[in-house]
């Protein structure tokens, strides 16, 4: 079944490339590409891991990726006769970043780093070296359900928005080193948590910005996608390198026999976990929305309203695979979707993923938004659930306190510092 799934991903990849007019931001193109890479890596390790994909898992994957494709194609069909207009191009009247705001940005990120470091200290409360603290901190979050303080969470989210904003400025305005400084400072937060996911978030936004930068400079779709594939390949190599290095902060990289095994487990174990989950899956109506809307669930708990008492934190149970010799708690985006909405509901969610992302992208293309820059920046900053789909469900992150902070921060930044013609 795994080999058949590889061929299915290749088929969706080709169809999405063809019917999206060679659009690199095609949701079904990228998701099928990611699942294809994950499946191929799994095949390369299958002599040792001896994994056999069940028929149930095969159909769950096929149906859901198929509905992503259908959702996207429906929007493409709706916009088929609407050509791009001149106003779709990003035309800056001015981008005025006062010196005081630039230095305030650096100071804010630095304060966020300090707050985060102190939170880690209070959670771990054992002193020790930084590597030991980071590993113990992640253990406490995953196994004991502890979380950062609200102030730290909000400051980290604002710092992330500032990081993405300066990525935008670096790509579109001027390639100056000063715009890289806030990004490098935010990297301290990533290193403190050994947060590999944040690296994916930043690289995802960078890919979207690079795509629109190429389109803004008159690059055709066929040339743009070739350039973007090159950028994506470079981003993937960069991520895998950083991934392996940051793994030493939590001692994860030390337990694997090689860097390839470390990376393979991260890229492919989610398919094995999904297979085991599907084969033991029993749906309960009480599950509805409990994991995909965990941010809302957790917010209500602060007021004494516990709508999902069985969901204690946002981490899925670990599964152990003897042939692989390691554990994993990533189930692709479908793990939480199945848990919350059953088989039919997960397909509906997949359809909406393809539909909503493509609708936003098409409206940007035809100049359907009054404030294009705000939409493009927000779209880029929330593109990471697509590139994270082979790991976990991140599509409803906007429905959280930090999600609201995220949107408001970008509105403020674009409203006061960027003007369009």
């Amino acid at each position: 079944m795994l080999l058949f799934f590889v061929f299915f991903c290749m088929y969706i990849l080709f169809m999405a490339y063809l019917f999206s007019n060679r659009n690199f931001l095609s949701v079904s193109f990228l998701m099928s590409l990611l699942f294809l890479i994950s499946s191929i890596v799994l095949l390369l390790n299958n002599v040792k891991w001896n994994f056999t994909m069940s028929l149930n898992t095969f159909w769950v994957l096929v149906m859901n990726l198929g509905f992503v494709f259908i959702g996207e194609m429906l929007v493409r069909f709706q916009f088929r006769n609407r050509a791009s207009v001149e106003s779709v191009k990003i035309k800056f009247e001015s981008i005025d970043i006062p010196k005081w705001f630039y230095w305030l940005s650096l100071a804010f990120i630095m304060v966020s780093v300090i707050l985060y470091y102190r939170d880690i200290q209070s959670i771990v409360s054992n002193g020790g070296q930084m590597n030991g603290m980071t590993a113990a901190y992640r253990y406490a979050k995953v196994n004991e359900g502890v979380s950062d303080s609200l102030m730290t969470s909000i400051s980290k989210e604002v710092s992330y928005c500032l990081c993405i904003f300066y990525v935008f400025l670096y790509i579109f305005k001027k390639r100056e080193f000063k715009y890289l400084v806030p990004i490098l400072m935010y990297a301290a937060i990533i290193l403190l948590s050994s947060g590999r996911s944040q690296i994916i978030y930043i690289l995802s936004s960078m890919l979207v910005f690079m795509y629109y930068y190429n389109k803004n400079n008159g690059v055709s779709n066929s040339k743009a996608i070739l350039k973007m594939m090159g950028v994506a390949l470079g981003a993937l190599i960069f991520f895998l390198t950083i991934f392996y290095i940051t793994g030493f902060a939590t001692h994860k990289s030390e337990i694997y026999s090689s860097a390839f095994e470390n990376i393979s487990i991260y890229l492919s174990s989610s398919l094995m976990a999904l297979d085991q989950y599907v084969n033991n899956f029993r749906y309960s109506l009480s599950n509805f929305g409990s994991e995909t809307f965990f941010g809302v669930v957790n917010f209500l708990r602060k007021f004494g309203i516990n709508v999902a008492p069985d969901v204690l934190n946002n981490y899925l149970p670990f599964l152990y695979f003897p042939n692989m010799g390691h554990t994993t708690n990533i189930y692709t985006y479908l793990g939480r979707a199945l848990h919350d909405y059953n088989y039919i509901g997960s397909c509906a969610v997949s359809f909406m993923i393809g539909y909503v992302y493509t609708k936003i992208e098409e409206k940007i293309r035809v100049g359907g938004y009054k404030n294009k820059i705000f939409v493009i920046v927000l779209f880029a900053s929330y593109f990471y659930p697509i590139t994270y789909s082979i790991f976990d469900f991140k599509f409803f992150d906007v429905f959280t306190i930090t999600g609201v902070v995220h949107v408001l921060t970008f509105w403020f930044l674009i409203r006061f510092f960027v003007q369009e013609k």
Side-chain angles (χ1 to χ4, degrees), residues 103-117:
W103 290 107
L104 180 63
S105 300
L106 300 185
F108 186 91
I109 297 173
M110 179 58 68
V111 170
S112 299
V113 173
I114 295 171
L115 286 174
Y116 190 38
Y117 178 77

Side-chain angles (χ1 to χ4, degrees), residues 81-319:
N81 294 323
R82 298 181 63 180
S84 298
V85 294
E86 185 65 21
S87 61
V88 75
K89 289 191 174 182
I90 303 174
K91 298 181 178 180
F92 298 121
E93 182 70 30
S94 66
I95 303 180
D96 183 20
I97 305 297
K99 287 184 178 180
W100 65 265
F101 180 79
Y102 176 77
W103 290 107
L104 180 63
S105 300
L106 300 185
F108 186 91
I109 297 173
M110 179 58 68
V111 170
S112 299
V113 173
I114 295 171
L115 286 174
Y116 190 38
Y117 178 77
R118 293 185 63 180
D119 255 26
I120 294 175
Q121 279 189 317
S122 64
I123 290 172
V124 176
S125 65
N126 66 351
Q129 300 299 315
M130 177 53 62
N131 285 350
M133 285 182 61
T134 305
Y137 166 70
R138 289 189 65 82
Y139 178 87
K141 290 191 70 174
V142 175
N143 295 281
E144 299 173 12
V146 300
S147 58
D148 303 325
S149 67
L150 182 61
M151 180 180 295
T152 299
S153 297
I154 291 175
S155 66
K156 283 168 58 183
E157 190 66 26
V158 174
S159 296
Y160 167 70
C161 293
L162 289 170
C163 173
I164 300 300
F165 183 63
Y166 282 104
V167 170
F168 167 74
L169 294 180
Y170 181 79
I171 292 175
F172 278 95
K173 186 184 180 185
K174 198 171 183 180
R175 308 291 169 87
E176 294 184 358
F177 178 76
K178 70 176 183 179
Y179 294 133
L180 295 177
V181 176
I183 303 168
L184 295 173
M185 289 183 64
Y186 180 76
I189 293 177
I190 298 175
L191 292 174
L192 282 172
S193 65
S194 72
R196 296 150 173 183
S197 58
Q198 288 95 333
I199 301 172
I200 296 177
Y201 300 172
I202 296 170
L203 292 177
S204 298
S205 64
M206 182 189 74
L207 289 174
V208 175
F209 288 144
M210 287 298 296
Y211 175 81
Y212 282 111
Y213 177 81
N214 285 326
K215 296 297 294 179
N216 209 47
N217 287 278
V219 179
S220 64
N221 274 351
S222 57
K223 290 183 179 180
I225 200 167
L226 288 175
K227 285 189 173 184
M228 293 311 301
M229 290 298 287
V231 173
L233 179 61
L236 178 62
I237 294 172
F238 174 79
F239 166 71
L240 294 178
T241 303
I242 298 299
F243 170 87
Y244 184 65
I245 294 172
T246 55
F248 287 103
T250 54
H251 306 301
K252 290 181 179 180
S253 293
E254 298 171 4
I255 65 176
Y256 303 115
S257 60
S258 66
F260 179 71
E261 182 187 30
N262 185 359
I263 294 167
S264 295
I265 290 172
Y266 192 75
L267 285 177
S268 299
S269 62
S270 57
L271 286 175
M272 299 173 66
L274 178 68
D275 182 76
Q276 185 169 321
Y277 183 78
V278 168
N279 291 331
N280 297 287
F281 176 65
R282 297 292 184 274
Y283 182 71
S284 172
L285 192 60
S286 62
N287 294 352
F288 190 86
S290 59
E291 289 189 348
T292 53
F293 283 99
F294 179 77
V296 177
V297 171
N298 201 36
F299 177 75
L300 292 175
R301 279 181 183 156
K302 299 180 186 299
F303 300 93
I305 305 172
N306 194 356
V307 296
D310 295 332
V311 182
L312 301 179
N313 56 54
N314 204 27
Y315 296 94
L316 297 173
F318 280 91
L319 301 175

Side-chain angles (χ1 to χ4, degrees), residues 49-83:
W49 294 352
N50 195 26
F51 168 72
T52 301
M53 179 181 286
S54 69
L55 184 61
N56 287 342
T57 304
F58 173 77
W59 282 115
V60 166
L61 287 164
V62 167
M63 292 296 292
N64 279 273
L65 288 179
F67 270 98
V68 172
F69 178 76
I70 292 170
E72 177 180 345
M73 290 305 111
L74 179 61
V75 177
R76 302 287 183 199
F77 179 78
Q78 292 172 345
F79 281 79
R80 68 191 185 284
N81 294 323
R82 298 181 63 180

